[in-house]
Amino acid sequence: MVKESENRLKHFAALKSKYQATNYPDSSPSSLLYLILRKVDLGIELSDLEFNWLGESQLKETLEAIKQEQQHRFQEFGNLEFEFSKLKSKYKATKDNISWQSSRLYFIVLKLESGNLLTDSEVKWLRANGLHDTNKIAQEVNRFTQLKSKYKATKYQDSYPDSQLYQILKKLDIAERLNNPEYNWLLNNKLLETAEVFQQQESVKEDHFANLRDKYQAIKYLDLSLSSPLYRILQNIDAQNNLSESEINWLEQQGLSETIAIAQELEQTRDFAALRVKYKATEYQDSSAKSHLYKILKKLDLSNHLGEQDINFLRKRKLTEIIEIANEKYASTLKYKIDLGELFNESEIDWLKNNKREDIIIFAQQKHFAILKRKYGLIEPLLPLEPFYAIMVRLETKERLDPKLVLQLMEEELLSPGGKIALAYYRLEAEFYEQEFHRTGHKWHIPTASSYWRKADEPEQALKLTNLDLSQIRESNLKSAISVTRGAAFRDMDNLADAESCAKKAMELQPESYQPYTLMAAIAHDRCDYAKRDYWHEQAIKRGAKTEDIDNEIKRLIRSTKDDNKRYEAAEYLLKKDSQRYSWAKSYLKKPQYNGK
């Protein structure tokens, strides 16, 4: 108790001295003045009663000292608040609910400002309070501090990440070359040891550059500066990176062909090593890019077909797995060709047969057959692959059909007028006979070709072919045949006047031929003059036409009549004339719809 009393006396004496109250006679710790001075020293605000007591006790100097102390405290308080506000903004901790008096944040940002590392608990506190940006800055400050220590720059006070020193130290840490302004900045800020680190790095790089120039045969290039494009290119080569086209062009411009050759050989060697792994050829001893195996694997990787020489090379070295892979890849390539709708050539078909892949050949034929059936309008699902696939392939390649195939088309009724197969076949025949006429000069090919052009539904080609000066032809029967087929082509195009003119000319040239008369009968039918048609048919029979052929011709005329009303009238006429002979015409007596009647 005595010691405590002594301590209080000493403390009271010190406070009286501090606040200029030494003249106050009462030095007892129980004095009212001691209570007031302790409150002031603790920063506790005095009441009016206490201020009045000081005044009444004639302690003016003490009053003045207390006021100055409180004013100083108030100013210091404001300074702390302002400083905290600046630090919050700087370190992106601007949360409205954070107070500098009660929060740990003030201490944390002061640590960051002074370049001190945060503890794990402080980092966790930042995360827990959602101060992620502050935490990121703290991490950067941490790294900056470590780099300053590593590169002897601790005397530099600023530890904020936007410092130029931080950018410089990061470059030094990855051995990236500093530019002149950065190096001069180090000198100007008297960071000589840091600058020395950079010089040491430069020295190491210069030695490295010299070694690379020797290693990759680039010593003829005289620019030894580290900023030279050559240094970066040689580093790329040494790092086993492939050169870009621009880098190769630059080396060519400098005449460094040996460097290019070395780089390309290294690139090929790496490529070869990867291909050997990919295609299970790692046991093959020769790893040189000049090996024939490299060329084979390169072909294989590009999905190119391996030739017999390549296969023999692999077979002799017992690289059978590669052969199997090559065959499978080539088979896949051929399958893809099928998907594209392309046809196999003879060598591809031979390869498939030799490798017992007839399944792909059959699959290709079936796919192509389906495409051709759609093209030629064949909807019969049970139409057999052979011989009709062979027929359509010949038509596609413009090869004439042999008589046996033509007979099969006729048996399947695939040569009926207007069918796409029929049109293709007739066009092919027309082209053949027209070419034969031009090749041999044999004029009897003209009416034959014209007839086929008409059947191919191309009467314009028939007219073009028969547009001849008949006076240059001797044989009357040939001239008559040309006139008949020309007239029939005019009739196909509904030019009945010119058709009749050609028919009459044919009669004059060969009066005993029945063909001009059947043409005249067809023209009369088109004009709905059925009595005249009968007359011309009778004239044709007199000149050798068979009655059954004429009846078939009448059937064809009625069947090909496009107008329903005209077909009805023609059928009705025949039945009135001879209902027994023309009984087939009853099928055309479905009453047509007369427009407007």
Side-chain angles (χ1 to χ4, degrees):
M1 291 291 290
V2 174
K3 189 172 183 180
E4 183 180 346
S5 179
E6 289 176 355
N7 289 337
R8 287 192 173 203
L9 286 170
K10 289 179 181 179
H11 184 230
F12 188 14
L15 290 176
K16 285 203 294 181
S17 176
K18 180 178 179 180
Y19 294 105
Q20 300 181 28
T22 54
N23 293 330
Y24 189 70
D26 189 355
S27 297
S28 169
S30 60
S31 168
L32 186 58
L33 178 61
Y34 183 36
L35 171 65
I36 292 172
L37 295 182
R38 277 191 298 166
K39 287 180 69 175
V40 171
D41 203 48
L42 291 172
I44 300 172
E45 189 173 349
L46 299 183
S47 65
D48 291 341
L49 290 173
E50 290 165 327
F51 274 114
N52 292 334
W53 184 86
L54 289 171
E56 291 170 357
S57 301
Q58 302 297 312
L59 293 169
K60 293 182 179 179
E61 291 181 357
T62 303
L63 271 172
E64 187 63 29
I66 289 172
K67 288 179 180 178
Q68 289 178 0
E69 175 72 13
Q70 289 182 333
Q71 186 177 0
H72 173 72
R73 285 180 186 276
F74 180 78
Q75 186 176 356
E76 190 62 26
F77 186 93
N79 290 341
L80 288 171
E81 183 72 35
F82 178 71
E83 182 182 275
F84 182 47
S85 177
K86 282 177 61 179
L87 290 174
K88 281 203 302 179
S89 176
K90 183 175 182 179
Y91 291 96
K92 299 181 179 179
T94 53
K95 282 201 169 185
D96 294 337
N97 59 346
I98 297 177
S99 168
W100 71 272
Q101 297 178 71
S102 58
S103 170
R104 299 173 66 183
L105 181 62
Y106 199 177
F107 180 72
I108 290 173
V109 292
L110 278 173
K111 282 186 76 173
L112 293 175
E113 183 70 3
S114 61
N116 291 308
L117 303 183
L118 299 187
T119 63
D120 290 342
S121 63
E122 289 166 340
V123 171
K124 289 178 182 177
W125 187 89
L126 289 174
R127 289 175 183 164
N129 285 273
L131 297 169
H132 303 296
D133 291 337
T134 309
N135 194 36
K136 287 180 183 178
I137 295 172
Q139 291 172 7
E140 291 295 308
V141 170
N142 185 13
R143 189 185 175 205
F144 190 7
T145 302
Q146 291 172 343
L147 289 177
K148 284 201 291 184
S149 176
K150 182 177 180 179
Y151 294 105
K152 303 175 181 178
T154 52
K155 67 174 68 176
Y156 190 75
Q157 296 301 312
D158 188 0
S159 295
Y160 197 72
D162 66 354
S163 165
Q164 186 168 0
L165 177 61
Y166 186 36
Q167 309 311 314
I168 292 172
L169 295 181
K170 285 195 290 186
K171 290 178 76 171
L172 287 178
D173 203 46
I174 58 173
E176 185 178 334
R177 195 163 189 271
L178 301 184
N179 55 40
N180 287 335
E182 290 169 331
Y183 179 68
N184 290 333
W185 187 91
L186 291 175
L187 297 179
N188 293 336
N189 284 274
K190 302 189 183 314
L191 296 170
L192 303 182
E193 289 180 291
T194 309
E196 179 62 27
V197 172
F198 168 65
Q199 290 297 344
Q200 290 171 0
Q201 287 185 351
E202 292 291 279
S203 178
V204 170
K205 289 178 186 177
E206 287 167 359
D207 291 341
H208 184 229
F209 188 14
N211 291 333
L212 291 178
R213 288 172 66 245
D214 288 338
K215 183 177 181 179
Y216 297 109
Q217 298 182 23
I219 54 175
K220 66 171 71 173
Y221 187 71
L222 300 179
D223 185 358
L224 303 181
S225 67
L226 296 177
S227 60
S228 162
L230 179 62
Y231 184 38
R232 176 179 50 79
I233 291 173
L234 295 182
Q235 284 178 304
N236 264 344
I237 297 173
D238 207 49
Q240 299 187 353
N241 295 324
N242 295 342
L243 295 184
S244 67
E245 186 177 348
S246 62
E247 289 173 328
I248 292 172
N249 290 338
W250 187 89
L251 290 172
E252 286 176 345
Q253 292 169 5
Q254 310 309 316
L256 297 172
S257 54
E258 296 90 346
T259 307
I260 296 172
I262 293 171
Q264 290 177 338
E265 185 175 351
L266 290 172
E267 181 180 337
Q268 290 170 353
T269 301
R270 291 192 297 272
D271 188 35
F272 186 23
L275 291 174
R276 285 167 63 203
V277 172
K278 182 176 181 179
Y279 294 107
K280 303 176 182 179
T282 51
E283 294 182 5
Y284 188 71
Q285 298 300 316
D286 188 358
S287 60
S288 168
K290 296 177 182 178
S291 165
H292 185 61
L293 179 61
Y294 177 48
K295 295 177 184 176
I296 291 175
L297 296 182
K298 198 69 179 172
K299 280 185 191 177
L300 184 57
D301 207 50
L302 295 171
S303 297
N304 291 332
H305 177 48
L306 299 186
E308 194 61 33
Q309 181 181 355
D310 295 332
I311 296 295
N312 288 335
F313 176 92
L314 295 171
R315 193 175 286 122
K316 286 178 182 179
R317 288 153 183 81
K318 298 182 179 179
L319 296 169
T320 53
E321 282 190 87
I322 298 179
I323 296 174
E324 292 173 5
I325 293 171
N327 287 345
E328 197 56 43
K329 281 177 74 76
Y330 188 52
S332 297
T333 300
L334 294 179
K335 287 179 182 178
Y336 182 64
K337 192 172 182 179
I338 296 171
D339 292 336
L340 294 177
E342 298 178 8
L343 300 179
F344 294 151
N345 56 41
E346 289 185 14
S347 65
E348 291 168 338
I349 293 173
D350 289 341
W351 184 88
L352 289 167
K353 288 179 179 177
N354 293 336
N355 286 273
K356 299 180 181 179
R357 295 306 303 265
E358 286 84 356
D359 59 312
I360 296 179
I361 297 175
I362 294 170
F363 177 66
Q365 290 175 342
Q366 290 171 338
K367 289 274 284 189
H368 192 219
F369 186 39
I371 293 170
L372 292 178
K373 282 203 299 181
R374 287 195 297 272
K375 178 176 179 178
Y376 288 101
L378 301 178
I379 58 174
E380 173 55 57
L382 299 179
L383 192 70
L385 184 72
E386 295 300 340
F388 298 103
Y389 176 62
I391 289 172
M392 287 188 282
V393 168
R394 281 177 170 268
L395 293 176
E396 284 290 290
T397 55
K398 295 188 182 266
E399 294 181 57
R400 294 183 72 213
L401 305 182
D402 58 48
K404 183 179 179 182
L405 294 177
V406 175
L407 182 61
Q408 288 174 310
L409 287 176
M410 294 174 67
E411 289 174 351
E412 292 289 334
E413 298 183 353
L414 294 176
L415 286 183
S416 56
K420 291 183 179 180
I421 280 191
L423 293 176
Y425 166 68
Y426 292 135
R427 186 180 301 111
L428 196 58
E429 291 298 294
E431 289 172 347
F432 170 75
Y433 283 107
E434 187 169 335
Q435 289 166 3
E436 283 296 291
F437 161 62
H438 291 302
R439 184 178 69 84
T440 66
H442 185 52
K443 293 183 175 61
W444 273 104
H445 288 317
I446 295 173
T448 304
S450 174
S451 176
Y452 278 121
W453 277 126
R454 289 184 55 239
K455 289 179 179 179
D457 201 18
E458 297 186 47
E460 302 90 345
Q461 295 295 328
L463 291 175
K464 183 178 178 182
L465 178 62
T466 57
N467 187 19
L468 303 169
D469 182 0
L470 295 181
S471 64
Q472 301 297 316
I473 299 174
R474 294 179 184 178
E475 304 97 317
S476 295
N477 58 345
L478 175 57
K479 290 194 282 188
S480 176
I482 292 172
S483 295
V484 169
T485 189
R486 183 171 177 80
F490 275 126
R491 175 179 170 264
D492 292 338
M493 299 180 68
D494 295 327
N495 187 346
L496 300 182
D498 285 341
E500 183 176 353
S501 176
C502 288
K504 288 179 178 179
K505 185 182 290 186
M507 290 177 185
E508 293 172 7
L509 290 167
Q510 198 177 14
E512 296 307 313
S513 173
Y514 65 84
Q515 291 169 334
Y517 295 90
T518 57
L519 175 58
M520 286 296 292
I523 295 169
H525 176 86
D526 291 346
R527 289 171 173 165
C528 299
D529 191 346
Y530 306 123
K532 199 71 171 176
R533 178 192 67 194
D534 292 345
Y535 166 78
W536 289 118
H537 275 151
E538 289 169 3
Q539 294 300 314
I541 290 171
K542 287 179 181 179
R543 287 164 176 77
K546 295 179 180 180
T547 302
E548 57 267 29
D549 290 340
I550 294 300
D551 284 353
N552 287 333
E553 173 67 9
I554 292 171
K555 281 184 182 180
R556 188 189 64 78
L557 288 171
I558 291 182
R559 184 173 63 246
S560 61
T561 300
K562 296 176 183 178
D563 187 283
D564 291 340
N565 296 326
K566 289 182 179 180
R567 190 188 303 115
Y568 180 88
E569 291 171 358
E572 189 176 43
Y573 172 84
L574 289 174
L575 289 168
K576 285 180 180 178
K577 181 180 177 181
D578 190 335
S579 60
Q580 186 173 355
R581 179 180 176 183
Y582 301 113
S583 60
W584 52 265
K586 292 178 182 178
S587 61
Y588 295 104
L589 284 183
K590 183 179 179 182
K591 195 69 177 175
Q593 297 293 325
Y594 287 90
N595 295 328
K597 294 184 180 179

